[in-house]
């Protein structure tokens, strides 16, 4: 439910309609670093440096329908400056994931790439370079200033956000970089630049935007602010930490809300998605729902879909490299160099989370525990260059080389070192050649998002005629030997769940990694062949094309309802979001209902209590004097019948509304009803046997004992288990278990078990607020009071029965019907109000009419007398 404070901040504009009101400008031309969003003295966005731009530049004035605008930190191109011609030369980077994903899209789908270049281009050359990249490579470069680039990428991304997402907290200054507000503003500014570039080329009615990785997590807010119905997907290629880690982020809400401005959010593993959903639940109070295999989050009327699918590799690229003469030459060289040796290979970036030193320690222990392996086993470690710079990288490299030197000093035999370091990134041909001769690959990262090294290793080990002639020259080409491979993989990286035949290890447990290495070396060939076959089958069928195609299809599905809803922009800065409502679902206008109220003479008003008249968060639920005064005024109007319809018990309602003598009360969702303060409580016409309580109560007591913060509410007709004070995740988990347990033990009883807002409730069948409405309307009509006005207002699932009934048979023949829910959410109601404050305001409007009529009547009577 939207808070009142949120709407005080807003100018609420419906951008789905033509309006004379000024729209939020699309391009911010603020130079330097944004202060997240500049605001004027009145709390609004400062428009002094904001200008309208043309919708599309001339270069792309006629965009092709249904394009994919792929946004990543770096463009999929390589660049070099030729001094002879004094020109920049570009070529596609075949190793770039954002380029490879096009293989999974429809052949006629056009892709436009937005990102930064891996080189610095002088400002005087940027316009020419941008034109070349757009025309020849469909790339749109984002030229960040050196200041912003350093603070955005090397500052906030690599030295703060990246370690934190890999579970490293900057507890001390030696353990990482602490949060820096200036670096955060640079991050926001850089995301704004990327968003501006997308806005220059997008056709928002047809194109889809696919954003990649943690560098651009607030970018969706900028896009959604400009185009409310924009189609946006985001895929996170790093881990998403548990809520305990993520909650340490000072800007945690801003990033979460920005991601929720997407339509689809993708993760490599269920763990990463689960952590994200847990953060949404704990920090924003959002619960996810799973339906027909899809996970969705309801957020201000929009459904954000959650996708869980690990990325794959480009099979065609690896196969092409394997067939290259360059690769065959390198394989022959390596085979001769390491002839007679068992080769174990590792390929890692130089960073603190790859566990290279731990790998070397385990290998050293292997040689120490198994002396017969000395001189016959070699570990070749290929070191990719670090992606950032700093003292932490230098310390990691120093430690790694120190451990390697110590192992080599102790176990070098006949001049042959057991650990061989291969520095530099190396070409793909070289890496495939090393994979081809290796019996085993070790990926020992202590934390990693995905890591595709095991996938590339598996495909490199698969049979290939060109490499088979080098590796197995004596084997006939018509009948090659089955291929074999062994993978040792850390259980803390994204690819681990998908490699069911791998030897999974805890990288921190040196002994277990040592034993895994020994097992891999001594494993029978048949076992290696079966493991390799299993992995190759998975990797080849779940390649990058499969991943891209699946994500793209889900993105299209997630966006299909965009133009069936009306959208409003809500909030300032990074708190911006879009409220999406159905075409017939609109805010209840006080003027409209007051006008209808004035014209009618026989009215029925049903109002829920908790969450409608009383905010949910309050501990003291006693109604205020203001509420009592309004209810007394409305119920004293002879044209009105006013009821509080609540799930609460009769004792609480009787106590709270004792002073409202003409107010009707309906307790326990309509099981008990009292027409006025002077009448007796009547039970519904159903014959209710509550013998089932003897079965249900012990079950609820068991869950109450096991769930700290929960409690049981006992009513005459029902039992309610509350968990609003329990841990959000554990409480929801226990509620689901309790629901299943109660449905099982009460399967043959005449009751309904259902979950509500942080409750599990057992009610007799045939008792609901919808039945209450039907009974009240029928009674009034039988008493000669046909209705011409009905208002039903409530905030939770139990009130939907009332709205559904009002929208069907009950409303027949009634001139003015108002079914109103509290908060923007999917509902059977036709109208909504934002919160309890709006409800009180609306009732005040009705009260004023009744009070005015009563005073006029009294005045006329006194005048006549």
């Amino acid at each position: 439910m939207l808070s009142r404070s949120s709407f005080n901040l807003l100018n609420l504009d419906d951008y789905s309609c033509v309006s004379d009101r000024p729209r939020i400008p699309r391009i911010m031309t603020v130079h330097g670093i944004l202060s997240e969003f500049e605001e004027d003295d009145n709390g609004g966005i400062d428009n002094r440096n904001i200008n309208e731009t043309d919708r599309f530049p001339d270069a792309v004035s006629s965009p092709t329908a249904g394009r994919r605008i792929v946004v990543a930190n770096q463009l999929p191109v390589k660049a070099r400056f030729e001094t002879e011609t004094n020109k920049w030369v570009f070529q596609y980077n075949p190793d770039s994931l954002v380029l490879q994903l096009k293989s999974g899209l429809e052949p006629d789908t056009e892709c436009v790439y937005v990102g930064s270049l891996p080189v610095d281009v002088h400002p005087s050359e940027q316009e020419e370079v941008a034109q070349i990249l757009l025309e020849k490579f469909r790339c749109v470069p984002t030229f960040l200033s050196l200041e912003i680039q350093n603070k955005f990428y090397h500052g906030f991304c690599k030295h703060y956000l990246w370690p934190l997402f890999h579970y490293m907290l900057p507890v001390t200054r030696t353990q990482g970089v602490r949060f820096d507000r200036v670096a955060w503003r640079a991050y926001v500014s850089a995301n704004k630049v990327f968003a501006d570039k997308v806005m220059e080329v997008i056709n928002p009615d047809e194109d889809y935007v696919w954003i990649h990785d943690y560098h651009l997590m607030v970018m969706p807010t900028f896009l959604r602010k400009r185009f409310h119905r924009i189609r946006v997907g985001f895929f996170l290629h790093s881990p998403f930490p548990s809520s305990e880690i993520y909650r340490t982020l000072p800007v945690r809400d801003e990033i979460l809300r920005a991601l929720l401005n997407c339509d689809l959010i993708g993760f490599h593993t269920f763990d990463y998605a689960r952590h994200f959903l847990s953060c949404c639940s704990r920090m924003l109070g959002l619960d996810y729902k799973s339906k027909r295999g899809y996970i969705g989050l309801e957020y201000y009327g929009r459904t954000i879909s959650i996708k869980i699918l690990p990325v794959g590799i480009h099979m065609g690229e690896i196969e092409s490299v394997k067939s290259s003469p360059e690769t065959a030459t390198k394989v022959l060289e390596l085979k001769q160099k390491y002839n007679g040796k068992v080769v174990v290979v590792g390929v890692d970036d130089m960073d603190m989370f790859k566990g290279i030193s731990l790998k070397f320690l385990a290998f050293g222990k292997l040689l120490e525990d198994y002396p017969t392996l000395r001189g016959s086993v070699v570990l070749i470690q290929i070191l990719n260059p670090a992606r950032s710079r700093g003292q932490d990288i230098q310390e990691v490299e120093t430690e790694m080389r120190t451990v390697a030197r110590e192992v080599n000093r102790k176990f070098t035999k006949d001049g042959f070192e057991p650990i061989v370091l291969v520095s530099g990134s190396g070409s793909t041909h070289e890496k495939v050649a090393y994979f081809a001769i290796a019996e085993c690959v070790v990926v020992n990262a202590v934390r990693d998002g995905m890591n595709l090294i095991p996938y590339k290793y598996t495909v490199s080990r698969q049979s290939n005629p060109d490499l088979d002639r080098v590796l197995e020259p004596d084997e006939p080409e018509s009948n090659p030997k089955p291929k074999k491979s062994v993978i040792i993989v850390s259980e803390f990286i994204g690819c681990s769940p998908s490699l069911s035949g791998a030897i999974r290890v805890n990288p921190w447990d040196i002994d277990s990694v040592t034993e895994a290495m020994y097992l891999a070396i001594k494993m029978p060939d048949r076992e290696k062949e079966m493991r390799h076959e299993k992995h190759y089958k998975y990797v080849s069928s779940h390649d990058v094309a499969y991943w891209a195609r699946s994500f793209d299809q889900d993105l299209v599905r997630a966006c299909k309802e965009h133009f069936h809803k009306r959208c409003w922009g809500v909030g300032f800065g990074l708190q911006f979001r879009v409220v999406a409502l159905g075409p017939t679902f609109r805010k209840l206008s006080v003027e409209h209902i007051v006008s209808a109220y004035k014209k009618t003479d026989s009215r029925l008003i049903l109002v829920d209590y908790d969450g409608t008249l009383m905010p949910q968060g309050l501990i003291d639920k006693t109604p205020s004097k203001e509420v009592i005064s309004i209810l007394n005024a409305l119920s004293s109007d002879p044209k009105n019948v006013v009821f509080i319809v609540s799930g609460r018990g009769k004792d609480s309602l009787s106590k709270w509304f004792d002073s409202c003598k003409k107010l009707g009360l309906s307790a326990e969702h309509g099981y008990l009803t009292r027409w006025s303060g002077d009448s007796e409580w009547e039970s519904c016409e159903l014959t209710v046997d509550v013998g089932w309580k003897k079965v249900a109560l012990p079950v609820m007591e068991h869950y109450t004992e096991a769930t700290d913060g929960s409690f049981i509410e006992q009513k005459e007709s029902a039992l309610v288990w509350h968990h609003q004070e329990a841990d959000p995740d554990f409480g929801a988990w226990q509620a689901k278990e309790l629901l299943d347990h109660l449905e099982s033990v009460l399967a043959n009883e005449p009751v309904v078990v259902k979950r509500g807002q942080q409750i599990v409730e057992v009610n007799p069948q045939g008792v609901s607020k919808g039945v209450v409405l039907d009974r009240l309307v029928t009674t009034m009509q039988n008493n000669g009071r046909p209705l011409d006005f009905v208002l039903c207002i409530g905030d939770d699932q139990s009130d939907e029965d009332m709205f559904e009934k009002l929208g069907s048979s009950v409303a027949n023949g009634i001139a003015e019907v108002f079914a109103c829910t509290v908060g923007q959410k999917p509902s059977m109601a036709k109208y909504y109000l934002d919160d309890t404050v709006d409800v009180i305001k609306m009732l005040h409007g009705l009260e004023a009419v009744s009070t005015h009529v009563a005073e006029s009547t009294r005045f006329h009577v006194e005048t006549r007398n």
Side-chain angles (χ1 to χ4, degrees), residues 22-75:
R23 296 181 64 169
I24 298 175
R26 63 176 304 178
I27 298 295
M28 282 179 141
T29 57
V30 180
H31 298 287
I33 297 176
L34 296 174
S35 298
E36 300 175 22
F37 277 102
E38 301 294 343
E39 296 186 358
D40 61 21
D41 295 335
N42 298 320
I45 295 178
D46 186 352
N47 291 318
R48 289 172 296 178
N49 293 318
I50 304 176
N51 300 309
E52 282 285 339
T53 64
D54 294 334
R55 184 162 182 170
F56 304 106
D58 293 340
V60 284
S61 57
S62 299
T64 304
R67 296 178 308 171
R68 303 303 185 264
I69 299 178
V70 184
V71 192
N73 181 47
Q74 282 205 351
L75 289 171

Side-chain angles (χ1 to χ4, degrees), residues 499-752:
L499 297 170
S500 56
I503 303 173
R504 297 191 181 98
V505 295
N506 174 3
W508 300 101
D509 187 349
I510 303 298
D511 291 340
S512 71
V513 179
T514 297
E515 290 305 311
M517 289 180 176
Y518 183 76
L519 175 62
I521 293 168
K522 295 299 183 179
M523 186 179 292
D525 286 350
R526 180 56 186 154
E527 180 70 16
K528 292 180 181 180
E529 292 166 4
M530 293 176 66
R531 289 174 184 252
H532 172 80
E533 182 181 357
K534 188 175 189 178
H535 289 154
Y536 183 78
K537 183 177 181 180
Y538 175 84
V539 172
S540 60
S541 61
H542 291 74
D543 61 354
V544 69
Y546 174 86
W547 169 77
R549 181 167 55 253
S550 180
F551 187 91
D552 188 70
Q553 289 171 350
D554 277 10
L555 179 58
V556 172
R557 179 190 58 81
C559 300
K560 67 181 181 181
E561 296 294 326
H562 274 24
F563 291 91
H564 296 161
K565 294 186 177 181
R566 296 174 300 120
C567 298
W568 282 268
V570 175
F572 287 111
L574 293 176
Q575 299 295 325
F576 177 85
R577 62 270 189 199
V578 164
V579 176
L581 306 176
T584 61
F585 189 55
R586 59 189 67 248
K587 187 170 183 177
L588 179 58
S589 165
V590 175
E591 293 78 10
H592 175 45
I593 191 171
V594 167
S595 174
Y597 186 82
K598 288 179 179 178
K599 294 184 295 185
T600 51
D601 297 313
S602 180
R603 314 182 190 110
L604 175 63
I605 300 174
L606 305 184
V607 186
D608 176 42
Y609 186 66
D610 292 281
T612 303
L613 291 177
M614 182 62 58
Q616 288 285 3
L618 297 181
I619 296 177
D620 183 6
K621 298 294 187 179
T622 305
S624 65
K625 292 181 179 179
E626 181 184 24
V627 169
I628 294 296
S629 174
I630 293 173
L631 293 175
N632 269 325
L634 291 176
S635 58
S636 298
D637 189 331
K639 297 180 180 180
N640 294 345
V641 173
V642 183
F643 266 81
I644 297 293
V645 183
S646 172
R648 288 190 174 270
K650 67 181 179 67
D651 293 338
S652 298
L653 295 179
S654 297
K655 177 182 176 182
W656 289 338
F657 298 103
D658 181 61
S659 60
C660 301
K661 299 303 182 182
K662 296 184 179 181
L663 178 68
L665 299 175
S666 185
E668 300 186 20
H669 299 303
Y671 176 69
L672 296 168
T673 301
R674 189 181 74 180
W675 283 81
S676 68
D678 298 328
S679 60
E680 297 296 324
W681 284 95
E682 304 171 0
S683 62
C684 65
E685 299 173 358
L686 296 171
T687 303
V688 177
D689 177 12
V690 294
W692 54 266
K693 286 187 177 182
K694 296 179 181 179
V695 178
L697 187 58
V699 176
M700 284 191 174
E701 289 173 342
H702 169 72
Y703 281 84
T704 303
E705 182 180 348
T707 312
D708 188 36
S710 65
F711 64 93
I712 301 171
E713 178 187 2
Q714 295 197 44
K715 305 176 184 178
E716 285 192 27
S717 67
L719 289 176
V720 188
W721 187 77
H722 297 260
H723 62 91
Q724 55 262 39
E725 302 299 329
D727 176 90
D729 287 339
F730 185 56
W733 182 21
Q734 290 289 78
K736 182 179 183 302
E737 292 295 319
L738 176 59
L739 180 73
D740 293 341
H741 196 158
L742 288 173
E743 285 180 339
S744 175
V745 299
L746 299 175
N748 297 320
E749 300 289 345
V751 295
V752 176

Side-chain angles (χ1 to χ4, degrees), residues 357-367 509-510 513-514 517:
S357 296
L358 296 174
K359 186 191 305 183
F360 289 176
L361 289 171
F363 189 72
K365 193 172 190 309
L366 175 74
L367 300 179
D509 187 349
I510 303 298
V513 179
T514 297
M517 289 180 176

Side-chain angles (χ1 to χ4, degrees), residues 1 8 28 34 54 76 81 104 112 124 150 204 206 225 248 279 288 295 350 408 427 489 527 692 695 715 737 792 816:
M1 179 169 60
N8 286 339
M28 282 179 141
L34 296 174
D54 294 334
F81 188 77
V112 177
S124 63
N150 286 334
E206 296 179 342
K225 178 184 280 287
T248 64
C279 288
Y288 73 91
I295 300 174
M350 181 59 68
N408 286 339
S427 66
V489 63
E527 180 70 16
W692 54 266
V695 178
K715 305 176 184 178
E737 292 295 319
C792 295
E816 302 290 348

